[in-house]
């Protein structure tokens, strides 16, 4: 497809379980970003990839969160031992180059932790 | 530490009238400012941007104004249409650094037919 895609679109899980969220950026985009939007909150930056490497992981909320990107394309965001406060919409975006003016967003994954 | 603030969580406007969405920021080093529009169950879509060296950018019904001395920008939509009803996010971009796009908390615009 032409845009950023994310899967699953919705995920409901029980507290304590691990979840994996996937992002397929626009083909050729070297930069990939993960954000989180909690209910009533703005967009919270989580992590950014330039190619396959993430220069700064300090935006991840806790050590239960990890992310990787392989082949300069697909990225996965993994949340271990999920907590109820992890419930949010997780958004992925990509841009042609790092720091480019416009980031193109995927539709998001709505995570609900029971 | 919220570097970009949208102090109005919601705004209602009559169809055909002007919608004015406001945004304030704290960092004078931002290079660009962007507006994104978000419908429920969708990711944000880019709407319009303005360079920090300009004070106005217009694209059809959408105009963004930047007042650097006041660290304030606004998005004007005229005439407003019911399809404009969405959440609007203001964002500020630093061209250097990893965490380079800072978002406000959004303003929900409702255009009443």
């Amino acid at each position: 497809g032409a845009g950023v895609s994310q899967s699953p679109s919705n995920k409901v899980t029980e507290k304590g379980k691990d979840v994996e969220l996937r992002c397929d950026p626009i083909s050729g985009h070297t930069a990939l970003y993960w954000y989180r939007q909690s209910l009533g909150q703005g967009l919270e930056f989580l992590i950014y990839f330039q190619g396959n490497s993430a220069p700064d992981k300090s935006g991840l909320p806790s050590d239960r969160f990890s992310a990787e990107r392989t082949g300069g394309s697909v990225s996965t965001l993994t949340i271990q031992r999920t907590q109820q406060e992890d419930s949010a919409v997780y958004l992925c975006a990509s841009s042609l180059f790092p720091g480019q003016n416009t980031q193109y967003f995927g539709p998001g994954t709505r995570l609900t932790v029971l | 530490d919220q570097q970009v603030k949208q102090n109005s969580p919601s705004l209602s406007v009559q169809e055909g009238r002007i919608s004015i969405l406001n945004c304030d920021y704290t960092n004078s080093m931002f290079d660009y400012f962007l507006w994104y529009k978000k419908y429920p169950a969708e990711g944000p879509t880019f709407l319009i941007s303005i360079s920090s060296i300009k004070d106005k950018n217009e694209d059809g019904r959408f105009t963004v104004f930047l007042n650097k001395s006041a660290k304030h920008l606004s998005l004007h939509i005229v005439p407003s249409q019911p399809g404009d009803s969405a959440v609007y996010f203001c964002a500020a971009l630093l061209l250097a650094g990893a965490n380079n796009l800072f978002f406000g908390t959004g303003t929900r615009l409702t255009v009443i037919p």
Side-chain angles (χ1 to χ4, degrees):
Chain A
V4 177
S5 61
Q6 291 184 247
S7 61
S9 55
N10 278 285
K11 177 72 178 177
V12 181
T13 189
E14 290 178 307
K15 178 181 170 181
K17 296 283 178 69
D18 298 350
V19 295
E20 194 172 274
L21 312 179
R22 176 188 168 109
C23 172
D24 282 270
I26 293 173
S27 178
H29 279 196
T30 62
L32 186 147
Y33 310 80
W34 282 99
Y35 295 87
R36 175 170 76 173
Q37 185 182 20
S38 304
L39 188 64
Q41 301 294 315
L43 289 168
E44 175 190 4
F45 171 81
L46 298 179
I47 193 169
Y48 141 84
F49 285 90
Q50 179 176 338
N52 290 334
S53 86
D56 180 1
K57 299 182 181 180
S58 62
L60 294 174
S62 75
D63 58 9
R64 296 184 294 103
F65 287 71
S66 62
E68 64 174 18
R69 188 179 185 196
T70 55
S73 180
V74 172
S75 175
T76 53
L77 176 70
T78 302
I79 310 172
Q80 296 178 308
R81 305 181 303 282
T82 52
Q83 304 294 311
Q84 288 183 332
E85 61 262 28
D86 300 334
S87 297
V89 175
Y90 289 82
L91 290 156
C92 174
S94 71
S95 64
L96 189 57
F97 300 111
Q100 194 193 23
N101 200 350
T102 305
Q103 294 179 15
Y104 297 87
F105 281 81
T109 293
R110 181 175 297 280
L111 174 66
T112 303
V113 182
L114 302 175
Chain B
D1 179 23
Q2 194 76 18
Q3 296 202 46
V4 178
K5 298 177 185 177
Q6 293 176 258
N7 293 318
S8 298
S10 63
L11 174 69
S12 290
V13 171
Q14 205 72 33
E15 180 179 5
R17 307 293 288 268
I18 185 171
S19 295
I20 300 176
L21 300 154
N22 293 304
C23 179
D24 297 291
Y25 61 96
T26 57
N27 189 343
S28 59
M29 301 301 292
F30 286 128
D31 298 289
Y32 283 90
F33 301 91
L34 301 84
W35 285 94
Y36 283 81
K37 175 178 172 181
K38 185 182 184 303
Y39 292 114
E42 295 182 13
T45 55
F46 171 73
L47 198 57
I48 191 170
S49 68
I50 187 168
S51 164
S52 62
I53 62 172
K54 300 201 171 176
D55 54 22
K56 178 182 175 181
N57 187 27
E58 189 173 350
D59 183 3
R61 296 186 298 114
F62 302 92
T63 304
V64 57
F65 295 93
L66 176 63
N67 182 335
K68 287 195 73 175
S69 61
K71 295 194 178 72
H72 177 85
L73 66 152
S74 60
L75 174 68
H76 293 211
I77 307 173
V78 55
S80 301
Q81 300 173 353
D84 296 330
S85 297
V87 177
Y88 289 79
F89 288 97
C90 168
L93 175 74
L94 275 174
L95 286 176
N99 181 9
N100 65 348
L101 194 61
F102 299 86
F103 283 87
T105 51
T107 297
R108 180 177 300 279
L109 172 66
T110 303
V111 179
I112 304 163

